[in-house]
Amino acid sequence: MKIGVSQEEQIQDAATNQADRQRKHSARASASGSPSKLSEVLQGVEKTLPSNANSLQILQVACDSRKVKPGALFFALHGAKADGNKFIQDAFKRGAVAIASEQPAPATFPVGVAWIQVREARRALAITAANFLAHPADALQLVAVTGTNGKTTTTSVVDAIIKASGAKTGLFGTIAYHTPLGDYPAPNTTPESVDLQGFFAEIRDAGGRYAVLEASSHSLPMDRLWGCHFQAAVFTNLTREHMDYHKTFEDYFAAKKRLFEGTGAGVPEVAVLNTDDEFGKRLAGLAKKTVTYGLEGDADITTKKFQLTFDGLTFTAHTPNGKVRVVSRLVGRINVYNLLAAIGAAQALGLPNEVIENGIRNLESVSGRFQRIDLGQPFLVIVDYAHTDDALENLIRTSRELNPKGRVITLFGCGGEKDRTKRPVMGEVTGRLSDLTILSSDNPRSEDPLKIISDIIVGLQKTGGKYLIEPDREKAIGMAMEEARSGDIVLLAGKGHENYQIIADKTFEFDDREMARRALRERGFEGPRNEHENGGSGFGT
């Protein structure tokens, strides 16, 4: 559990607090509800429970001491940067009546407070939250999408298909959390288990029957999805990412694999696997049923030909349930894969092809994914979240394919305090594929932006590609507009939907889309905006 110890976590705290404020009228918000006996909420948890605490009434389950209310059961979790056990006193002061920790009870603690020693605190938290909220996931059909790239777009397509059926649903991922009651900021790609169960309860209590989520490689080993049974589990692809967390590529794959091995409630009913990816092939046979998709070989869900334009994609998908005619505003070859994956997930839910076709057609955009900025300038400006070498390569290749006669100008940076190994690789990709690269800052955090850029240059210089350096991202965006000529395409990569930038210990409002519009206006462009205000055409991240 992260507890407000870095500038990035301050953003997450703000998002979480905003979500709490928005959810205050939900009966199930923040895992608060009717009183339950301690012994009941801990059913199924490996624990050492004081005999005199069985009947203790629990009014809330929490893992953040700052959110503790009187009557709470507080879980002290070990986090990457902080130890929840250090915040137990704060939980006491706020009214916690029980503490769950992997540590044994201290010699002294407040009278009337129960100390429960648990074997695996994160797993115990997930089980307890589900118990407390009467197992809301049991009332829902769950879909999880994991992989390096494509999670956000694929889940967005599945969500649109479910909505086209007329059903109520929830969507949880990088951009935001959505339930039938409203939209909430997303402090993490996958919510903490106690929050996720609260959202599931919110969907259930609103009459919803589905939930679709991105399963990050952090969330799976941290047991945020423990106790959830998935009707469909989707694997998109696996490329270099999060090596600062997982250390080795096999560790990274092992984290993703957990989804298909089962997260404490049996293996998924259907695994939908991209078998054009070698790691997808390695997941076959783990779920009760395997459905494959891809453009190569003999995949179960595939297409033989497709039409790529800046206006979107059209093709016919061949599936075990018949043909699906796809007309989508999503752009690029990578989104053919994302659409095939979504079709597989939707069919696993039992949704008919007509509903699938309508849902795909209804989805106009995915925020910050291949989002076009158009103020009438004679060149194209695209904002995209591509922040891995594979995503960046897909982005540039798609731009070349759609705009073969113009130059490609790519602006990007790499995040500070994150995986350094991908920096030179990303530099090599853009140096090899772009006509001009502009190196700038992403979220440098406490690192020197120029040192991050130096790491990128190591790879870029291997290619002989042309590049410019401007650490100030706003100035760099202006530089890109100055460099662009008629017919060119400018790619602003890495931040996508993000509306902030972290520099040192400060967090600033910063949105590539707004900065691009400002830069264009400063250069005299004020033409009609042929944009989707709340999103883009949905590139593959």
Side-chain angles (χ1 to χ4, degrees):
M1 180 182 67
K2 294 184 176 180
I3 305 182
V5 294
S6 73
Q7 61 271 34
E8 184 170 25
E9 288 161 351
Q10 291 170 12
I11 294 173
Q12 295 179 346
D13 293 341
T16 303
N17 291 337
Q18 183 179 343
D20 288 344
R21 289 193 296 272
Q22 288 174 290
R23 297 175 69 200
K24 65 182 180 180
H25 298 299
S26 168
R28 296 294 184 176
S30 301
S32 300
S34 301
S36 300
K37 292 181 180 180
L38 181 61
S39 59
E40 294 172 351
V41 299
L42 290 174
Q43 186 174 358
V45 173
E46 293 187 51
K47 60 190 178 296
T48 301
L49 178 65
S51 58
N52 61 352
N54 283 324
S55 299
L56 187 65
Q57 295 294 299
I58 300 300
L59 302 181
Q60 180 199 31
V61 178
C63 63
D64 185 334
S65 65
R66 296 163 299 182
K67 299 177 184 177
V68 165
K69 299 175 182 177
L73 165 57
F74 173 69
F75 277 78
L77 306 181
H78 288 284
K81 297 182 179 180
D83 181 356
N85 288 283
K86 295 181 179 179
F87 297 88
I88 288 173
Q89 289 298 325
D90 185 47
F92 286 152
K93 293 177 182 177
R94 296 174 186 267
V97 296
I99 304 295
S101 172
E102 293 176 359
Q103 296 182 1
T108 60
F109 57 94
V111 175
V113 176
W115 187 284
I116 304 99
Q117 186 175 6
V118 296
R119 184 165 177 267
E120 295 176 282
R122 288 187 175 276
R123 189 168 294 184
L125 173 64
I127 295 170
T128 302
N131 288 340
F132 186 69
L133 295 171
H135 300 278
D138 291 351
L140 309 175
Q141 289 198 73
L142 305 181
V143 176
V145 180
T146 197
T148 306
N149 300 311
K151 296 188 297 296
T152 299
T153 300
T154 302
T155 53
S156 296
V157 177
V158 176
D159 178 72
I161 293 170
I162 293 171
K163 288 176 178 174
S165 75
K168 294 179 180 179
T169 185
L171 175 64
F172 308 96
T174 305
I175 296 175
Y177 303 153
H178 308 278
T179 79
L181 298 189
D183 300 340
Y184 311 112
N188 298 298
T189 296
T190 310
E192 183 57 78
S193 62
V194 66
D195 299 318
L196 185 63
Q197 292 294 333
F199 283 126
F200 287 164
E202 192 168 303
I203 298 167
R204 176 197 62 193
D205 295 348
R209 296 187 289 118
Y210 302 92
V212 184
L213 59 91
E214 297 179 43
S216 72
S217 63
H218 293 70
S219 69
L220 288 160
M222 295 172 76
D223 286 325
R224 292 179 187 168
L225 301 180
W226 192 257
C228 295
H229 179 69
F230 292 95
Q231 179 64 28
V234 179
F235 174 80
T236 59
N237 50 65
L238 200 72
T239 60
R240 183 192 309 271
E241 177 72 325
H242 302 308
M243 290 300 101
D244 54 325
Y245 181 81
H246 296 290
K247 306 307 178 187
T248 71
F249 205 75
E250 279 299 319
D251 287 345
Y252 182 34
F253 174 63
K256 300 289 190 183
K257 187 179 179 182
R258 288 183 180 222
L259 177 63
F260 302 90
E261 294 172 326
T263 51
V267 299
E269 294 296 314
V270 182
V272 182
L273 307 177
N274 174 10
T275 48
D276 288 354
D277 187 294
E278 288 300 315
F279 289 94
K281 295 176 182 177
R282 290 171 59 179
L283 297 171
L286 294 177
K288 293 181 181 178
K289 178 182 178 180
T290 294
V291 174
T292 63
Y293 71 94
L295 301 178
E296 304 167 8
D298 298 320
D300 297 320
I301 301 175
T302 189
T303 184
K304 302 305 179 185
K305 58 181 180 179
F306 45 87
Q307 181 179 354
L308 304 175
T309 71
F310 272 111
D311 292 325
L313 290 163
T314 56
F315 62 87
T316 298
H318 301 271
T319 84
N321 294 352
K323 295 181 180 179
V324 176
R325 178 62 177 168
V326 172
V327 179
S328 172
R329 293 192 64 88
L330 304 184
V331 171
R333 183 181 302 269
I334 189 64
N335 273 318
V336 177
Y337 282 94
N338 294 333
L339 288 162
L340 294 176
I343 290 169
Q347 289 186 342
L349 295 175
L351 297 173
N353 290 351
E354 182 180 0
V355 168
I356 294 172
E357 291 172 346
N358 290 338
I360 290 172
R361 189 181 297 109
N362 291 345
L363 181 64
E364 292 191 353
S365 62
V366 181
S367 181
R369 273 61 177 171
F370 211 83
Q371 184 166 351
R372 186 171 175 175
I373 306 300
D374 186 359
L375 268 66
Q377 73 277 3
F379 51 87
L380 293 163
V381 178
I382 302 295
V383 172
D384 192 85
Y385 190 54
H387 61 286
T388 68
D389 53 292
D390 183 66
L392 191 59
E393 180 159 350
N394 285 329
L395 173 65
I396 300 171
R397 287 192 181 279
T398 293
S399 301
R400 286 272 187 217
E401 197 168 10
L402 296 174
N403 192 50
K405 295 182 180 180
R407 296 184 306 156
V408 174
I409 299 171
T410 303
L411 183 155
F412 84 104
C414 290
E417 300 176 11
K418 299 290 184 181
D419 181 11
R420 290 187 61 184
T421 64
K422 72 177 183 180
R423 295 173 186 174
V425 183
M426 292 180 71
E428 189 170 351
V429 165
T430 189
R432 174 166 43 88
L433 299 177
S434 302
D435 295 286
L436 174 65
T437 299
I438 299 177
L439 298 175
S440 190
S441 297
D442 189 285
N443 292 314
R445 300 177 178 84
S446 64
E447 284 196 63
D448 182 346
L450 289 175
K451 288 185 177 179
I452 297 174
I453 290 171
S454 294
D455 288 342
I456 300 171
I457 290 174
V458 170
L460 201 157
Q461 287 182 332
K462 294 179 181 179
T463 69
K466 297 179 180 178
Y467 66 93
L468 300 172
I469 298 173
E470 175 47 71
D472 184 314
R473 194 172 179 98
E474 182 176 2
K475 292 180 180 178
I477 290 172
M479 179 185 291
M481 303 308 171
E482 287 291 336
E483 291 288 337
R485 302 194 293 259
S486 180
D488 289 349
I489 184 166
V490 175
L491 303 175
L492 308 180
K495 294 185 67 62
H497 63 280
E498 292 181 354
N499 59 6
Y500 62 86
Q501 188 176 31
I502 307 168
I503 301 174
D505 61 348
K506 303 292 184 182
T507 301
F508 302 90
E509 289 185 6
F510 193 100
D511 188 318
D512 274 1
R513 297 162 293 189
E514 289 306 315
M515 291 300 175
R517 294 182 186 113
R518 180 185 298 178
L520 290 169
R521 291 190 188 100
E522 289 173 351
R523 287 155 181 81
F525 298 110
E526 292 284 356
R529 289 169 55 173
N530 300 315
E531 306 174 19
H532 299 292
E533 292 294 335
N534 296 317
S537 53
F539 199 63
T541 53

